């Protein structure tokens, strides 16, 4: 079929064509050929009913139009459709051009003043984009009238006064002078056939829908009635129902896989469908079918087919498309992605396990190095050079330990093992402890530090260790990048919060150090980024400190902001929202213990459980130097045997390693806590291990240990812990 926007034809015996692809002017063309019919035998059996219906409607339209076009009274006076009359002189120049009132009414004009009797007025009624095609055809028709039959027909679009577009079909008649055959009058009349075109468009749409979807319905929204446009073998087996949505749900129950049935039934509820179509002209749903043991995938689609003058939906089309091949390809790619993700997760897990294991392996010799430095530091008669070497060795060891901790902290955060451990903490004590631990470093660089605190609720629920680590990292960063004699300020303020029972806490840490450039600030929280390397700045680091801070702040639901100017200093601002807690009835026990000044270790016996001979030797020497008696067990099994065989109160405390052969520290602790002798089962046990993370600390406490100290052991912290538990 030919689907031109403009069709022009002539009734007669000659067959010619004037115009181009878009607009044709034919003579000798029978109107019967205006809408071509389809041969049903050229189509599959399931579409032949649809083709027959189309042919029936097309034949009816042809007949009606033929009758209208060729009725002799079309040119009679009083014809109710539109009409124009053009007159010409003997040289066939146009003398006049007039419209009838019927033309003006059809096009929405009020009278002669609104649409004057001029040829340009007729041109104005044509669509702007089609004027350059139709007007030349008009003049060609006039010029060649002697070659053409008396009556011609045409079909094209016209524009009403309000801008709406209509299709018109009409006939034109040539009236020639008898003496010389010159054109005297050219009369044209036309009527609005927009409805016919819409019906034809509808038929073409219906035909297209049937070709796109292997099952489709045209649904009338007012009463849920429908026409089947196309069907398939599965649908044919389903009992029909006059309600379209009931019929569709029956199809779901008969052919949709049970894993998708309920979801599809809910999707096919009429109220749900109409609500979604009001927002989106098309909605889709994928589902799996297993009818007749054929595992296939389909996509159901609802489309708005027609709306009324109030923009309310009157008709919708439902279509079903087989997407098995596309879905299988999608599932194949999805499986590839999942397999790649599993491989990445396995590689990440292997990396994490490797780093955790390396942590233990590195911390064990680090414990020996730091312990030996500590022992050498207590010896007398060192030369000034030896004292300097020991000082530098201690500093290098601490830097190496800091780097190890940073790498492992980042690994834990990235692996998802870092979690928020909410507990009751004293915010004042937590913040002051962080500053106190750095007091020696501050004094060594001759820095001044000023700290202010404006807090109404000091007891909150928060993750103490992570909050402590964030403050420590930021203050340590300020110390590192502030030259000797510089100044650091910290402030802790409480602000109101809209959420009842909560408060906002703002912490600012400022320094007058070297500052940062504007370009670097955008990257400060990225891993392994530093504005200057250690060679340039003389400050060592891995470039992980700020990245760890940012991730910990995000993990705890806070925010961090930075203000800086190169050469003038930096200010970090932390903001957290914490739940306010009641002040405890008794003072909260802080893991950062304070030594008992009156405690003396004389006569106190420690059972040291350590499988590494060198670490055991160093620990024994340190503890004996303090004044303790020390006995050693090589593993958890030996420890349990020694406690079992010793009299009650023989051991005052146990220092327990974790990773040991035969029986680890957790197992040994649980065994001791289960002993029948209450005095033995209640011996204080301190984990002293290279397993140094929050989860290790929690596991130690859950096993029944009293404290957790990470290797390399800080001697001052060890002494304080022993004094607290034994004092």
């Amino acid at each position: 079929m030919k689907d031109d926007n403009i069709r022009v034809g002539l009734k007669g015996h000659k067959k010619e064509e004037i115009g181009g692809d878009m607009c044709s002017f034919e003579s000798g063309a029978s109107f019967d050929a205006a809408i071509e019919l389809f041969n049903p035998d050229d189509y599959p059996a399931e579409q032949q009913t649809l083709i027959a219906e189309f042919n029936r409607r097309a034949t009816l339209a042809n007949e009606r139009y033929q009758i209208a076009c060729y009725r002799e009274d079309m040119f009679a006076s009083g014809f109710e459709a539109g009409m124009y009359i053009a007159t010409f002189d003997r040289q066939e120049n146009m003398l006049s051009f007039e419209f009838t009132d019927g033309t003006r009414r059809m096009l929405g004009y009020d009278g002669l003043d609104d649409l004057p009797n001029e040829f340009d007025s007729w041109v104005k009624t044509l669509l702007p984009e089609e004027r350059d095609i139709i007007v030349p055809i008009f003049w060609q028709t006039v010029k060649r009238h002697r070659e053409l039959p008396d009556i011609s027909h045409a079909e094209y679009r016209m524009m009403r006064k309000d801008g709406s577009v209509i299709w018109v079909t009409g006939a034109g008649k040539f009236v020639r002078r008898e003496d010389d055959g010159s054109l005297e009058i050219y009369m044209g009349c036309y009527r609005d056939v927009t409805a016919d075109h819409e019906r034809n468009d509808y038929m073409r749409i219906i035909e297209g829908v049937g070709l796109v979807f292997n099952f489709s319905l045209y649904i009338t929204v007012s009463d849920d009635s429908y026409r089947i446009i196309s069907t398939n073998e599965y649908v044919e087996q389903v009992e029909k129902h006059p309600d379209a949505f009931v019929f569709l749900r029956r199809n779901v129950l008969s052919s949709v896989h049970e894993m998708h049935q309920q979801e599809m039934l809910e999707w096919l509820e009429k109220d749900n469908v109409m609500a979604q179509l009001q927002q989106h002209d098309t909605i889709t749903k994928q589902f799996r079918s297993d009818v007749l043991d054929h595992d296939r995938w389909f996509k159901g689609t609802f489309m708005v087919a027609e709306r009324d003058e109030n923009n309310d939906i009157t008709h919708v089309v439902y279509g079903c498309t087989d997407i098995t091949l596309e879905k299988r390809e999608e599932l194949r790619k999805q499986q590839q992605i999942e397999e790649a993700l599993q491989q990445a997760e396995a590689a990440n897990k292997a990396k994490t396990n490797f780093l955790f294991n390396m942590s233990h392996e590195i911390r064990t010799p680090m414990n020996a190095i730091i312990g030996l430095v500590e022992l050498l530091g207590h010896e007398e008669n060192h030369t000034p050079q030896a004292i300097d070497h020991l000082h530098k060795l201690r500093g290098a060891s601490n830097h190496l330990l800091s780097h190890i901790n940073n790498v492992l902290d980042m690994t834990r955060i990235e692996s998802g093992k870092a979690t928020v451990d909410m507990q009751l903490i004293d915010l004042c004590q937590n913040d002051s402890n962080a500053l106190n631990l750095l007091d020696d470093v501050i004094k060594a660089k001759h820095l001044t530090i000023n700290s202010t605190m404006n807090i109404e609720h000091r007891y909150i629920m928060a993750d103490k260790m992570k909050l402590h680590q964030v403050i420590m990292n930021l203050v340590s960063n300020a110390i590192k990048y502030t030259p000797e004699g510089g100044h650091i300020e910290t402030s802790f303020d409480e602000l109101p919060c809209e959420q009842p029972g909560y408060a906002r806490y703002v912490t600012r840490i400022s320094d007058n150090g070297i500052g940062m450039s504007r370009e670097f600030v955008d990257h400060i929280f990225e891993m392994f980024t530093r504005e200057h390397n250690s060679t340039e700045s003389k400050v060592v680091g891995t470039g992980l400190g700020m990245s760890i801070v940012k991730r910990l702040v995000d993990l705890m639901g806070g925010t961090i902001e930075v203000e800086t100017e190169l050469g003038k200093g930096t200010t970090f601002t932390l903001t957290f929202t914490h739940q306010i807690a009641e002040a405890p009835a008794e003072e909260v026990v802080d893991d950062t213990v304070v030594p008992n000044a009156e405690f003396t270790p004389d006569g106190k016996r420690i059972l040291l459980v350590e499988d590494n001979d060198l670490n055991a030797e160093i620990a024994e020497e340190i503890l004996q130097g303090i004044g303790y008696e020390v006995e050693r067990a090589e593993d958890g099994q030996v420890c349990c045997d020694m406690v079992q065989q010793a009299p009650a109160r023989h051991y005052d405390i146990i220092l327990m390693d974790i990773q040991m052969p035969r029986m680890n520290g957790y197992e040994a602790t649980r065994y001791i806590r289960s002993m029948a002798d209450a005095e033995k089962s209640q011996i204080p046990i301190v984990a002293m291990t290279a397993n140094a993370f929050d989860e290790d600390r929690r596991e130690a406490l859950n096993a029944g240990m009293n404290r957790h100290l990470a290797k390399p052991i800080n001697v001052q912290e060890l002494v304080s812990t022993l004094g607290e538990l034994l004092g």
Side-chain angles (χ1 to χ4, degrees):
M1 290 180 63
K2 190 171 184 178
D3 185 18
D4 296 327
N5 285 336
I6 308 165
R7 289 182 294 164
V8 180
L10 297 177
K11 179 183 177 182
H13 299 290
K14 296 182 181 180
K15 183 172 180 62
E16 299 183 9
E17 184 173 296
I18 301 174
D21 290 338
M22 184 176 179
C23 177
S24 63
F25 189 109
E26 296 182 359
S27 65
S30 170
F31 182 74
D32 291 341
I35 301 180
E36 297 177 5
L37 304 182
F38 292 88
N39 184 1
D41 294 334
D42 294 339
Y43 292 83
E46 61 267 20
Q47 294 185 8
Q48 289 183 3
T49 301
L50 176 65
I51 297 302
E53 174 64 13
F54 173 80
N55 287 342
R56 186 186 69 80
R57 291 185 174 229
T59 301
L60 180 62
N62 285 340
E63 291 174 351
R64 289 178 177 175
Y65 184 59
Q66 187 176 26
I67 293 171
C69 285
Y70 297 138
R71 284 182 55 186
E72 293 182 355
D73 60 357
M74 284 184 65
F75 295 99
S77 60
F79 180 72
E80 295 181 356
M83 187 173 180
Y84 65 82
I85 301 174
T87 62
F88 299 84
D89 62 18
R90 289 186 177 272
Q91 288 72 44
E92 297 184 346
N93 298 311
M94 184 180 290
L95 296 174
S96 65
F97 190 95
E98 298 182 4
F99 295 106
T100 63
D101 290 338
T103 299
R104 294 184 176 88
R105 286 194 298 271
M106 185 175 69
L107 297 177
Y109 290 93
D110 294 332
L112 184 62
D113 293 338
D114 210 9
L115 187 67
N117 285 327
E118 298 174 357
F119 180 75
D120 287 344
S121 297
W122 176 75
V123 173
K124 184 178 70 172
T125 65
L126 304 176
L127 268 65
E129 63 269 25
E130 296 175 2
R131 290 170 187 168
D132 291 342
I133 298 172
I134 298 177
V135 173
I137 290 178
F138 176 89
W139 288 114
Q140 281 182 322
T141 303
V142 170
K143 181 178 180 181
R144 296 180 55 188
H145 74 90
R146 299 176 189 271
E147 306 170 21
L148 301 175
D150 292 344
I151 297 177
S152 64
H153 69 266
E155 189 170 300
Y156 54 94
R157 294 187 295 177
M158 299 186 75
M159 188 167 59
R160 291 168 52 84
K161 180 181 178 180
D162 61 8
S164 61
V165 177
I166 62 172
W167 277 95
V168 298
T169 186
K173 181 176 178 62
F174 297 112
V175 179
R176 301 178 181 88
R177 294 181 177 87
E178 294 183 0
D179 53 355
D180 61 1
S182 63
L183 181 62
E184 182 177 10
I185 298 172
Y186 183 45
M187 298 187 302
C189 64
Y190 33 70
R191 62 186 179 87
D192 187 344
V193 292
T194 305
D196 293 340
H197 266 270
E198 290 177 349
R199 281 193 294 271
N200 291 336
D201 290 342
Y202 162 77
M203 290 300 297
R204 286 193 289 271
I205 292 172
I206 293 301
E207 180 185 0
V209 167
L211 294 175
V212 171
F213 298 111
N214 58 25
F215 165 50
S216 52
L217 303 178
Y218 187 80
I219 303 171
T220 302
V221 174
S222 60
D223 60 3
D224 299 340
S225 61
Y226 62 94
R227 289 180 50 216
I228 297 179
I229 303 172
S230 57
T231 185
N232 58 48
E233 57 182 319
Y234 308 132
V235 176
E236 288 302 315
Q237 299 176 25
V238 179
E239 182 183 357
K240 304 299 185 290
H241 190 280
D243 186 305
F245 293 95
V246 175
F247 178 44
L248 289 174
R249 287 195 289 273
R250 285 184 177 178
N251 276 274
V252 169
L253 295 173
S254 69
S255 61
V256 174
H257 193 283
E258 60 181 7
M259 67 182 293
H260 291 151
Q261 278 191 5
Q262 187 57 39
E263 186 179 359
M264 282 297 295
L265 290 172
E266 294 174 359
W267 185 67
L268 287 170
E269 289 293 335
K270 180 181 178 180
D271 290 344
N272 172 63
V273 171
M274 300 310 298
Q276 292 188 65
L277 287 177
Q278 288 292 353
Q279 298 178 348
H280 315 283
D281 283 345
T282 301
I283 60 174
T284 63
K285 192 75 169 177
Q286 295 183 8
F287 60 91
R288 179 181 167 193
S289 173
D290 58 0
V291 68
L292 301 179
D293 296 328
H294 295 163
D295 187 9
R296 305 193 67 81
W297 281 86
F298 293 88
K299 180 171 71 175
T301 302
F302 277 103
M303 301 182 297
V304 175
E306 191 174 354
R307 295 177 182 267
D308 61 17
E309 62 276 6
N310 298 320
N311 203 36
D312 293 329
I313 300 172
T314 59
H315 294 85
V316 299
V317 169
Y318 173 80
C320 187
T321 312
D322 190 329
I323 59 168
T324 302
L325 295 179
E326 297 94 321
K327 191 65 177 181
R328 286 175 180 169
E329 179 65 14
E330 177 187 333
L331 293 175
R332 186 185 66 81
K333 291 181 179 179
Q334 183 177 343
Q335 183 177 1
Q336 289 179 336
I337 294 172
E338 290 176 353
E339 290 174 354
L341 180 60
Q342 290 173 359
Q343 292 174 359
E345 289 175 346
N348 188 60
K349 184 177 181 180
K351 179 193 73 173
T352 301
N353 291 337
F354 170 77
L355 290 173
F356 283 176
N357 292 333
M358 286 302 297
S359 166
H360 185 274
E361 298 303 321
I362 294 173
R363 285 175 183 275
T364 299
M366 281 294 298
N367 186 63
I369 294 170
I370 293 176
L372 288 171
V373 170
E374 190 70 29
L375 290 175
L376 287 172
H378 286 85
E379 293 184 2
E380 299 178 356
N381 301 322
H382 286 306
T383 64
Q385 187 179 26
I387 293 173
D388 181 58
H389 289 169
L390 285 172
H391 176 73
K392 291 177 179 176
L393 182 58
R394 183 181 290 110
S397 299
N398 288 332
H399 280 309
L400 179 57
L401 181 61
S402 174
H403 297 338
I404 294 170
N405 288 338
N406 281 343
V407 171
L408 292 170
D409 281 341
M410 183 56 67
T411 302
R412 289 172 62 250
I413 293 171
E414 286 191 323
S415 68
K417 288 191 173 183
T419 58
V420 178
D421 182 18
M422 303 297 287
Q423 55 183 296
L424 176 66
I425 67 170
D426 182 344
L427 193 58
C428 297
Q429 190 179 60
N430 194 68
D431 293 336
S432 62
N433 284 341
L435 299 178
N436 291 338
L437 290 174
L438 296 169
D439 190 54
D440 291 343
V441 185
I442 293 171
K443 290 179 180 178
K445 290 191 70 172
H446 307 291
L447 302 174
T448 59
I449 185 165
N450 180 43
S451 182
T452 60
M453 188 168 289
N454 180 25
I455 291 177
E456 179 182 355
H457 304 95
R458 61 185 293 179
Y459 294 103
I460 61 172
M461 298 300 295
D463 189 316
K464 176 186 174 182
M465 298 299 294
K466 292 182 177 61
L467 197 59
H468 178 84
Q469 184 177 355
V470 167
I471 300 297
M472 283 283 289
N473 279 19
L474 291 176
V475 176
S476 297
N477 203 64
I479 293 171
K480 282 197 298 185
Y481 293 102
T482 301
E484 288 198 14
H487 182 69
I488 297 173
E489 289 189 1
T490 65
S491 64
F492 306 92
D493 299 293
E494 179 180 337
L495 301 177
C497 179
E498 296 179 357
Q499 189 175 0
Y502 287 77
R504 291 177 61 232
Y505 294 88
V506 179
T507 302
R508 291 183 178 85
I509 299 170
S510 304
D511 63 66
N512 63 347
I514 63 175
M516 293 173 283
S517 65
R518 292 180 180 272
E519 294 76 16
F520 178 70
V521 170
D522 294 335
H523 306 282
I524 187 173
F525 297 121
E526 297 174 7
M527 290 192 294
F528 309 114
T529 55
R530 302 183 66 199
E531 184 158 29
H532 306 285
N533 60 35
S534 57
T535 303
E536 297 172 319
S537 66
K538 307 302 181 184
V539 178
V540 296
T542 59
L544 284 174
M546 289 298 101
S547 181
I548 291 172
V549 166
K550 180 64 166 68
R551 282 162 171 77
L552 289 177
V553 169
D554 290 344
L555 187 64
M556 293 185 287
T559 62
I560 181 169
E561 299 175 357
V562 57
E563 300 175 41
T564 185
E565 187 173 348
L566 198 61
K568 292 190 177 181
T570 302
T571 298
F572 286 96
T573 302
L574 296 167
T575 305
F576 291 101
T577 299
H578 294 301
Q579 182 181 0
I580 299 170
E582 296 291 335
E586 299 180 2
E587 198 66 26
V588 177
V589 177
D590 190 0
D591 289 345
T592 308
V593 296
V594 179
N596 186 342
E598 300 179 358
F599 172 74
T600 57
D602 296 340
K604 300 294 184 182
R605 184 177 287 105
I606 295 175
L607 177 56
L608 175 65
V609 189
E610 172 64 67
D611 65 323
N612 185 282
D613 292 337
L614 180 57
N615 280 336
E617 179 184 344
I618 295 170
E620 285 184 55
E621 191 169 343
I622 291 175
L623 292 169
Q624 289 169 352
I626 297 172
Y628 289 99
E629 296 181 19
V630 182
E631 295 182 18
R632 179 198 174 192
E634 290 80 8
D635 58 46
Q637 184 62 60
V638 175
C639 167
C640 292
D641 293 342
M642 292 175 67
V643 173
Q644 189 72 55
Q645 295 167 11
R649 300 183 183 178
H650 179 74
Y651 299 113
D652 296 288
I653 196 168
I654 299 173
L655 299 181
M656 183 79 74
D657 192 15
I658 298 299
Q659 291 191 19
M660 295 179 292
R662 297 208 300 168
M663 182 183 287
N664 65 40
Y666 301 136
E667 295 169 337
T669 299
R670 293 188 183 97
Y671 182 85
I672 293 171
R673 293 298 183 227
S674 67
M675 288 182 176
D677 189 330
E679 291 185 337
K680 293 182 178 181
S681 66
Q682 294 176 9
I683 297 175
I685 302 176
V686 177
M688 199 163 67
T689 174
N691 297 352
F693 303 110
D694 284 349
E695 54 265 33
D696 300 317
R697 173 179 169 273
R698 287 194 294 269
E699 190 169 357
L701 298 178
N702 291 336
M705 298 183 184
N706 301 85
R707 289 288 186 274
H708 177 277
L709 300 179
K711 293 179 181 177
I713 296 300
N714 181 303
V715 175
Q716 181 181 357
E717 187 177 7
L718 173 61
V719 170
S720 298
T721 300
L722 293 173
E724 183 219 4
L725 294 174
L726 297 176

